[in-house]
Amino acid sequence: YAPRSNPTTWTQVTGGFVSGKGPTALYAPAVGDILIAAQGGYVYHLTVPGRPVTVLEAGNLTTQTLNAIHGAGDTVVAVGASNAVLVSHNGGRTWATPTGPAAGKALNAVTVWDGQTIWVGADKLYYTDDGGMSWLEVPLGVTGLTAVTALAFARDLRAVGYAGVVTGSGTQVLRT
């Protein structure tokens, strides 16, 4: 982290992390409420930058590396290697593991609209509107698509979204 008053001075947060279960992505819905996806299926919580993190999920539900984390309201979703999906509907206090959208594939990106609507980037783009009970593929019309690696939607106008994709010939940013 770096203070806004001096963004050139960075301090590494090391306390509370389990060895070999380091951070891979974070979601910060509010000041003092930072959720961190990590290796080995771990999810951490950070309240104050510089203080040690606490473990919310200790790799009990999956041991896959988590690649992305996002949320809306009390719903938080982390996704990762080999179709791993972790969902919490109470801000990270408890977690469940619905079946992901792409068996055996790495899930690279996630955006949560609400407790039921979740978008996931993997080998393709997927979404669920029933909290992960079923998934639908969203055709992107991209020749040679190999991965969807990033997702972003406008908060106030969900019809505006972006996807970072990888193809056999390079990378692209798609807009809807």
Side-chain angles (χ1 to χ4, degrees):
Y1 72 94
R4 191 179 333 194
S5 60
N6 186 3
T8 61
T9 303
W10 287 85
T11 302
Q12 183 177 4
V13 176
T14 57
F17 288 109
V18 174
S19 178
K21 310 299 183 197
T24 57
L26 63 87
Y27 165 62
V31 174
D33 189 19
I34 302 166
L35 291 104
I36 303 168
Q39 298 169 328
Y42 272 65
V43 179
Y44 299 101
H45 187 243
L46 178 64
T47 55
V48 178
R51 297 237 173 109
V53 299
T54 56
V55 175
L56 295 178
E57 170 52 40
N60 296 318
L61 297 174
T62 183
T63 58
Q64 299 298 322
T65 293
L66 300 173
N67 298 322
I69 188 167
H70 191 258
D74 285 337
T75 300
V76 179
V77 179
V79 298
S82 195
N83 204 33
V85 178
L86 296 178
V87 177
S88 173
H89 292 290
N90 56 17
R93 289 188 298 280
T94 60
W95 297 86
T97 55
T99 300
K105 302 292 183 182
L107 308 183
N108 307 311
V110 63
T111 296
V112 179
W113 278 6
D114 54 48
Q116 298 299 305
T117 311
I118 304 163
W119 294 81
V120 171
D123 61 327
K124 300 173 183 168
L125 178 61
Y126 301 92
Y127 85 99
T128 179
D129 58 5
D130 59 12
M133 304 234 346
S134 64
W135 295 90
L136 297 170
E137 178 188 337
V138 179
L140 296 176
V142 175
T143 302
L145 178 69
T146 59
V148 177
T149 58
L151 296 171
F153 287 89
R155 285 186 188 198
D156 56 346
L157 186 60
R158 291 182 177 165
V160 176
Y162 298 88
V165 301
V166 177
T167 68
S169 60
T171 58
Q172 299 177 23
V173 175
L174 308 178
R175 179 185 186 276
T176 184

